Amino acid sequence: MRVRLSLALAGWLLLAGAAGAQTAPAWSGTLGVTTDHVRRGTVRGKDDVELTGSLEHLRGSFYAGAAANTAALGDTDYEVDLYVGWQPQWAGWDWDFNAKRVSYFGGSDDSDHWEFYALATRSIGPVSGTFLVGGSPDYEGAA
């Protein structure tokens, strides 16, 4: 499964390169330290200092990246997220379509899952609105 995911990510980057050739590629990243990492109402940090980091590549309206943190889930040691997305503009709206694979390593917890979302944002004068639809077919043990 992890090999197929890596091949899919590599293919997506090639596609993004062809589609976004008119815009110079850009890289960005983050590094951080936190305690009591909270995600969706669940504390994952176990009162320890947690390390976080990410690296993202943007080419045209396509992006792909990876994020990792040591905030454990169950008996796992760390989490790695791989994601791809597309941010077109259409009909006066800014769109963001994203697919992410969340994987946990270093333990017996089997909570790896996919997440998907679509986001639409529009500003009219000083007012802006955002609509988000997202979900996961198998988030943390869902049937």
Side-chain angles (χ1 to χ4, degrees), residues 20-135:
Q22 71 278 7
T23 305
W27 288 92
S28 64
T30 63
L31 289 175
V33 178
T34 186
T35 60
D36 290 334
H37 180 96
V38 178
R39 181 172 173 184
R40 295 190 178 113
T42 302
V43 177
R44 300 202 178 171
K46 299 180 184 176
D47 294 324
D48 295 330
V49 173
E50 307 299 335
L51 304 175
T52 64
S54 67
L55 183 63
E56 183 172 284
H57 181 72
L58 174 66
R59 185 177 290 245
S61 59
F62 293 93
Y63 62 93
N69 66 68
T70 58
L73 176 66
D75 66 346
T76 61
D77 295 326
Y78 60 99
E79 172 185 333
V80 175
D81 303 343
L82 299 177
Y83 59 89
V84 294
W86 179 43
Q87 296 176 319
Q89 292 182 330
W90 178 71
W93 290 81
D94 295 323
W95 299 86
D96 186 358
F97 302 97
N98 181 286
K100 175 170 58 171
R101 178 67 180 174
V102 179
S103 300
Y104 300 94
F105 297 92
S108 61
D109 196 304
D110 188 23
S111 296
D112 296 3
H113 61 277
W114 284 96
E115 295 179 358
F116 304 94
Y117 74 75
L119 182 134
T121 303
R122 183 165 186 168
S123 296
I124 300 174
V127 178
S128 66
T130 300
F131 299 94
L132 171 68
V133 175

